[in-house]
Amino acid sequence: ALIQGVVAIFYCFQSGDLQLGTAAEMKAALPPKAFWYAAIAASVLNSVVKTLETKAFAESDISLCAPFLAFDPVMQFVVGVAIMPIACSMMGVGCDDAKSSYPPYHVTSIMCIAYGAFLLGQGASGAPKKVSNKASEKLFFGLPRGSWYILLNCVIYGFTSRLDKVAIKSAGKTLYYAYGRLLMAATTLGGSVASGGMTMREINKFKTPTVMSLIGAICISDAIYMLSLYQAFAWISPVYVTAIKRGGGILLSSLLGVMLFNESMAGRFGPIVTICFGVTFLCL
């Protein structure tokens, strides 16, 4: 995150989004207050998401948690319809979503994508495993606690995507990406220093050519992904972006597993057709 943030800040100076000059000129070039409120709130919520995700996978099998990510577009829709009108009337936030209308076939498409992705995620996780006594004690309303953490994350995503959109519309996707990465780096590195986890022994592990090459590849691919996602948020509703992202991601991974790794197609054809049906009608 630190590498990405520094490079992005340098690019912003090169592109003119940020400018060097007197203190007054540099202050005038800073984004408006709405940007900072949205960026800081999104960073805090994303930290909560990462913590819950780590806790979910630590307490429950990934195969029991990952399929519930398919409910992300459903929660995006619920937040947009139920919460954003209230937020718009009380705080003037999320008014774009409050004014949006969703055709009935788009709602059906979102449900199809979520349902197909959920079934596909369950099928990709393999045969059902016997639940241990320890795991069964952690069931909450019939589901493992880890699954509930993922569902809570889906609700939080419904708010972070709107905060992302506010920040992007206030200052542009590149500047938001730059500041967002620096805020994330400050949070994670600060936590590592405070906990004593950042030592020279740990830092030296990053100095090998192989690790540095992998970090560079991750930085580039992640930058392309995040900037593309932010641009999509700026153009269309987060509901549609998330539906295509979640459904398309699970669909692509399933198809690649069949074509490249000779995985069985059994139990996948129905969910794949359901997702394709949903994505097709979502684009109409």
Side-chain angles (χ1 to χ4, degrees):
L2 180 61
I3 295 171
Q4 291 172 321
V6 171
V7 172
I9 287 290
F10 178 76
Y11 175 81
C12 288
F13 277 113
Q14 291 291 106
S15 64
D17 290 333
L18 290 174
Q19 297 178 0
L20 290 173
T22 64
E25 290 173 342
M26 294 181 67
K27 183 178 179 180
L30 290 175
K33 290 182 180 179
F35 170 86
W36 294 108
Y37 293 150
I40 293 172
S43 296
V44 172
L45 288 176
N46 281 322
S47 299
V48 174
V49 165
K50 290 298 180 184
T51 302
L52 289 175
E53 187 178 84
T54 302
K55 189 174 178 62
F57 293 149
E59 292 190 6
S60 305
D61 291 341
I62 293 178
S63 61
L64 297 176
C65 298
F68 288 89
L69 285 170
F71 289 95
D72 189 2
V74 177
M75 296 302 178
Q76 292 278 352
F77 175 74
V78 172
V79 169
V81 171
I83 306 298
M84 287 302 107
I86 300 174
C88 178
S89 62
M90 294 180 63
M91 297 178 290
V93 177
C95 293
D96 287 345
D97 280 288
K99 296 175 182 177
S100 299
S101 60
Y102 301 95
Y105 64 90
H106 278 184
V107 178
T108 304
S109 299
I110 292 167
M111 299 302 177
C112 286
I113 293 170
Y115 182 64
F118 178 72
L119 293 179
L120 202 55
Q122 283 192 317
S125 65
K129 297 179 182 179
K130 184 179 180 180
V131 179
S132 64
N133 291 331
K134 181 178 179 181
S136 63
E137 292 173 359
K138 294 185 177 181
L139 292 178
F140 184 69
F141 286 99
L143 291 175
R145 290 188 182 273
S147 301
W148 286 108
Y149 293 144
I150 296 299
L151 286 173
L152 179 56
N153 274 357
C154 290
V155 176
I156 297 174
Y157 283 138
F159 293 96
T160 57
S161 61
R162 270 75 184 190
L163 292 170
D164 289 337
K165 189 164 187 173
V166 170
I168 292 165
K169 293 182 71 173
S170 299
K173 67 179 187 298
T174 307
L175 200 57
Y176 176 51
Y177 177 79
Y179 282 123
R181 295 291 117 173
L182 291 178
L183 285 170
M184 185 182 296
T187 304
T188 54
L189 292 177
S192 297
V193 172
S195 63
M198 183 179 290
T199 62
M200 288 305 300
R201 180 181 177 183
E202 295 298 323
I203 293 174
N204 288 333
K205 294 179 180 179
F206 294 93
K207 295 182 179 180
T208 62
T210 302
V211 174
M212 293 180 68
S213 300
L214 290 173
I215 291 175
I218 291 171
C219 288
I220 294 171
S221 58
D222 181 70
I224 295 172
Y225 165 72
M226 292 306 300
L227 290 171
S228 300
L229 182 66
Y230 290 161
Q231 186 61 64
F233 281 155
W235 281 343
I236 60 176
S237 169
V239 176
Y240 300 143
V241 175
T242 308
I244 295 172
K245 182 183 73 170
R246 293 295 184 197
I250 296 176
L251 176 62
L252 182 61
S253 63
S254 182
L255 291 176
L256 288 177
V258 172
M259 293 187 295
L260 300 180
F261 301 102
N262 296 321
E263 294 180 1
S264 174
M265 192 67 179
R268 299 187 180 187
F269 182 76
I272 286 175
V273 171
T274 303
I275 293 174
C276 291
F277 175 85
V279 171
T280 300
F281 277 87
L282 196 63
C283 296
L284 296 179

